[in-house]
Each structure stands twice: as C-alpha cells, then as structure tokens.
Amino acid sequence: MQAVSENEATGAPQFTVDWFSRSIPAWKHLFPRVMPRPARILEIGAFEGRSTCFMLEHILPADLDGEIHCVDTWEGGVEHGGIAMNAVFDRFRANVGATVKRFPRHKVILHRNLSSLALRALHAKGHGGTFDFVYVDGSHQAADVLEDLVLSFPLLRNGGLMICDDYIWQRQRPGEEDILDTPKLAIDAFTNIFRRRIRFIDWPSTYQAAFLKTV
Ligand SMILES: C[S@@+](CC[C@H](N)C(=O)[O-])C[C@H]1O[C@@H](n2cnc3c(N)ncnc32)[C@H](O)[C@@H]1O
C-alpha cells in the first residue's frame, strides 16, 4: 500500500485517453441524489487517474477527510496492448499528486496489484463494510469482473453505492463477440444472484450499471 503525497505534484493533469468524461453528466445527476457525502471510495482500475481526479474534485466533499483506494496493476488489460504502462503509472502519480495538493484533507492510497489479491488484502486489513462507493473499472474479462464484484461487495457498507463501467463494452466486432471477454456477462450474473441484496438505480446511463447495497 502506497500513499500519493502532494510533493509529487508536477503540474496540471495530463491524460492521453478519455474513457470517463461521457459518464460525468450522469454522475453529477446521481451522486447528490443517492450518495451526497461519500468519504471512502474504492476504485478498481485507475489508469492515468482521470476518474480518480474527478472523484477528488467533485465526489469527495472538500470538508471531509476523504480517502480513495486505487487498485490497479498498472500493467494494463488484454485490450491495452501497445500502451507503455510505466508511463501511464507515472502520469497517474503526477495527475493525482497535483489534484490532491488542492484538496489537503483527501488521501489517495495505491494498491498496485492484481485486484483479486488487493481486494483480499483489504479484507484481511479490516476494511470490510467501510466503503461508501465502489467504482469497478479494472479488467474487462468476465471472470475477473465477477471476482471484482464478489470481492468488493462485502467491502461496501450497507446503503453504499456501486457503479460498474463498460456494461455494454465489447472488444470484438459486432457479430464476433466473445461474451467471456465482456463485463456484461459478469455484471448480469452478479446482479441476478445478489438481487435480494441490491437495489438498481434508474439513471440516464446505459454504459454503466449502478446499484445500492441494501443488506
Ligand atoms: C479502463 S482502465 C481504467 C480507467 C479509469 N477508471 C479512467 O476512467 O480513466 C482499466 C485499468 O485496469 C487495470 N487492470 C486490468 N486488469 C486488472 C487486474 N486484474 N487487476 C488490477 N488492475 C487491472 C489496468 O491496468 C488499467 O489501468
């Protein structure tokens, strides 16, 4: 576990990809309604920190001692071939370091590991039932996504919010889909099996699935 400190700040955020901005209008509508003051966030899949920086700026209230725990290998998934992931990790640290500097009550804690191992370690360290919000955006392989959901759900407090990105993402061309290579199969399986412990949120996003933990 590593903390990003403000003295790593190197200037304005630098992002080379944007997989997050399309979700901002739906998040800005959703959070004030269902999760107005989250203090503890778990993010699975952080990449260059675009979503992390957004949460630091817009989701964690500046007057709370907020924490974002970022789980990522910073090695990329199967869809990230050709991306220099060491440079991605450097950009993550610079971007998040610069943003944390503007929010001195917030901390970002890195768990640089496979999510299957990092989430188990969070359980072992007593983080069960402590997160207000879990954002699942790591591996897009169905088996990995299912494991991320099953392992992170008990880390969420009752009443907590979970959002899964890329619900309808697929890597292959239409007609050639490999459903084991999509998050949807896992999100559908998890939400069906856990249906008595969650409440789906009706919101204007088809690209992401969102639900509250009820029990
Ligand atoms: C789509 S990116 C995250 C994007 C980020 N949330 C954003 O909106 O900018 C997915 C990330 O998950 C990480 N990842 C993929 N498989 C993983 C695994 N099994 N365990 C941990 N991290 C993983 C990759 O290294 C990559 O940085």
Side-chain angles (χ1 to χ4, degrees), residues 23 35 65 119 126 172 177 210:
S23 302
M35 188 54 66
D65 293 323
L119 297 173
Q172 294 80 14
E177 299 90 347

PDB file of all heavy atoms in Angstrom, residues 23 35 65 119 126 172 177 210:
ATOM      1  N   SER A  23     -19.337   9.826 -18.789  1.00  0.00           N
ATOM      2  CA  SER A  23     -20.145   9.454 -17.624  1.00  0.00           C
ATOM      3  C   SER A  23     -20.412  10.643 -16.686  1.00  0.00           C
ATOM      4  O   SER A  23     -21.236  10.522 -15.779  1.00  0.00           O
ATOM      5  CB  SER A  23     -19.423   8.371 -16.814  1.00  0.00           C
ATOM      6  OG  SER A  23     -19.165   7.259 -17.617  1.00  0.00           O
ATOM      7  N   MET A  35     -25.863   9.562  -3.007  1.00  0.00           N
ATOM      8  CA  MET A  35     -24.632   9.452  -2.203  1.00  0.00           C
ATOM      9  C   MET A  35     -23.986  10.836  -2.103  1.00  0.00           C
ATOM     10  O   MET A  35     -22.921  11.098  -2.653  1.00  0.00           O
ATOM     11  CB  MET A  35     -23.685   8.446  -2.881  1.00  0.00           C
ATOM     12  CG  MET A  35     -22.440   8.068  -2.106  1.00  0.00           C
ATOM     13  SD  MET A  35     -22.737   7.456  -0.450  1.00  0.00           S
ATOM     14  CE  MET A  35     -23.610   5.933  -0.790  1.00  0.00           C
ATOM     15  N   ASP A  65     -12.458  14.299   5.615  1.00  0.00           N
ATOM     16  CA  ASP A  65     -11.197  13.571   5.477  1.00  0.00           C
ATOM     17  C   ASP A  65     -11.466  12.378   4.554  1.00  0.00           C
ATOM     18  O   ASP A  65     -11.779  11.286   5.018  1.00  0.00           O
ATOM     19  CB  ASP A  65     -10.708  13.088   6.850  1.00  0.00           C
ATOM     20  CG  ASP A  65     -10.316  14.258   7.741  1.00  0.00           C
ATOM     21  OD1 ASP A  65      -9.754  15.239   7.211  1.00  0.00           O
ATOM     22  OD2 ASP A  65     -10.596  14.194   8.951  1.00  0.00           O
ATOM     23  N   LEU A 119      -7.910  -6.931  -3.295  1.00  0.00           N
ATOM     24  CA  LEU A 119      -9.205  -6.899  -2.590  1.00  0.00           C
ATOM     25  C   LEU A 119      -9.200  -7.860  -1.403  1.00  0.00           C
ATOM     26  O   LEU A 119      -9.726  -7.545  -0.333  1.00  0.00           O
ATOM     27  CB  LEU A 119     -10.351  -7.227  -3.565  1.00  0.00           C
ATOM     28  CG  LEU A 119     -10.528  -6.212  -4.708  1.00  0.00           C
ATOM     29  CD1 LEU A 119     -11.565  -6.696  -5.717  1.00  0.00           C
ATOM     30  CD2 LEU A 119     -10.926  -4.831  -4.177  1.00  0.00           C
ATOM     31  N   GLY A 126      -9.095  -5.456   7.451  1.00  0.00           N
ATOM     32  CA  GLY A 126     -10.245  -4.962   8.224  1.00  0.00           C
ATOM     33  C   GLY A 126     -11.064  -3.889   7.547  1.00  0.00           C
ATOM     34  O   GLY A 126     -11.783  -3.148   8.223  1.00  0.00           O
ATOM     35  N   GLN A 172     -14.596  -7.200 -29.553  1.00  0.00           N
ATOM     36  CA  GLN A 172     -14.667  -7.723 -30.910  1.00  0.00           C
ATOM     37  C   GLN A 172     -15.692  -6.945 -31.746  1.00  0.00           C
ATOM     38  O   GLN A 172     -16.527  -6.233 -31.193  1.00  0.00           O
ATOM     39  CB  GLN A 172     -15.056  -9.210 -30.894  1.00  0.00           C
ATOM     40  CG  GLN A 172     -14.010 -10.119 -30.275  1.00  0.00           C
ATOM     41  CD  GLN A 172     -14.041 -10.124 -28.752  1.00  0.00           C
ATOM     42  OE1 GLN A 172     -14.995  -9.653 -28.153  1.00  0.00           O
ATOM     43  NE2 GLN A 172     -13.002 -10.648 -28.140  1.00  0.00           N
ATOM     44  N   GLU A 177     -18.595 -11.298 -31.158  1.00  0.00           N
ATOM     45  CA  GLU A 177     -18.352 -11.088 -29.737  1.00  0.00           C
ATOM     46  C   GLU A 177     -17.971 -12.393 -29.028  1.00  0.00           C
ATOM     47  O   GLU A 177     -18.515 -13.453 -29.327  1.00  0.00           O
ATOM     48  CB  GLU A 177     -19.610 -10.537 -29.024  1.00  0.00           C
ATOM     49  CG  GLU A 177     -20.105  -9.216 -29.516  1.00  0.00           C
ATOM     50  CD  GLU A 177     -21.120  -9.356 -30.642  1.00  0.00           C
ATOM     51  OE1 GLU A 177     -21.264 -10.472 -31.205  1.00  0.00           O
ATOM     52  OE2 GLU A 177     -21.765  -8.342 -30.961  1.00  0.00           O
ATOM     53  N   ALA A 210     -25.513   0.718 -12.157  1.00  0.00           N
ATOM     54  CA  ALA A 210     -25.378   1.282 -10.806  1.00  0.00           C
ATOM     55  C   ALA A 210     -26.421   0.673  -9.887  1.00  0.00           C
ATOM     56  O   ALA A 210     -27.572   0.476 -10.286  1.00  0.00           O
ATOM     57  CB  ALA A 210     -25.561   2.799 -10.854  1.00  0.00           C
TER      58      ALA A 210
END
